[in-house]
Amino acid sequence: QVQLAESGGGTVQAGASLTLSCAASGSTFRYLSMGWFRQAPGKEREFVAACDWSGGNPTYGDSVKDRFTISKDNAKNMVYLQMNSLKPEDTAVYYCAVVHGYGNQPIEYDYWGQGTQVTVSP
């Protein structure tokens, strides 16, 4: 079993940058692919980014491509989401999640963190 805890959310102005962190527990973390999702009020959970067990093969949702970067540090049991050029439409609760395999659909993911709020003001 893997436990996840996100941090780093906050309120920023449009155009700013923010880095989210996800701390993971469990010895199997280093063998697992990771993903970031987000959910705004009244909307479905949206795929943001994913990487494989080594932090390689990153994929991104169309709305964040070229602005966000996912990275994974197996030595520290951490996953990061660097977010640049933030827009008001990026406002959401951001979740990190673990998947056995690789995917961009929430249903494929096995463990989830509690989420961290990101608010981008105009």
Side-chain angles (χ1 to χ4, degrees):
Q1 190 168 355
V2 178
Q3 293 184 324
L4 304 170
E6 303 91 340
S7 62
T11 300
V12 297
Q13 289 189 326
S17 297
L18 204 58
T19 300
L20 303 183
S21 300
C22 175
S25 66
S27 58
T28 59
F29 170 79
R30 64 180 59 245
Y31 305 114
L32 300 173
S33 300
M34 300 294 298
W36 284 95
F37 291 80
R38 67 187 183 186
Q39 189 164 19
K43 295 189 177 182
E44 293 186 353
R45 195 161 291 192
E46 176 190 12
F47 171 72
V48 174
C51 66
D52 68 17
W53 69 273
S54 69
N57 194 26
T59 57
Y60 299 93
D62 289 341
S63 61
V64 306
K65 204 170 294 183
D66 299 325
R67 298 189 298 123
F68 290 11
T69 302
I70 187 172
S71 60
K72 187 172 187 263
D73 187 339
N74 284 331
K76 296 181 178 179
N77 271 24
M78 296 290 294
V79 179
Y80 305 98
L81 184 68
Q82 173 68 42
M83 306 185 294
N84 297 327
S85 302
L86 283 162
K87 304 175 181 180
E89 50 263 45
D90 294 319
T91 295
V93 177
Y94 283 71
Y95 300 89
C96 65
V98 163
V99 60
H100 288 84
Y102 195 89
N104 62 3
Q105 299 298 315
I107 196 171
E108 299 174 284
Y109 284 71
D110 303 294
Y111 302 104
W112 294 79
Q114 294 297 312
T116 185
Q117 176 71 46
V118 172
T119 302
V120 184
S121 59

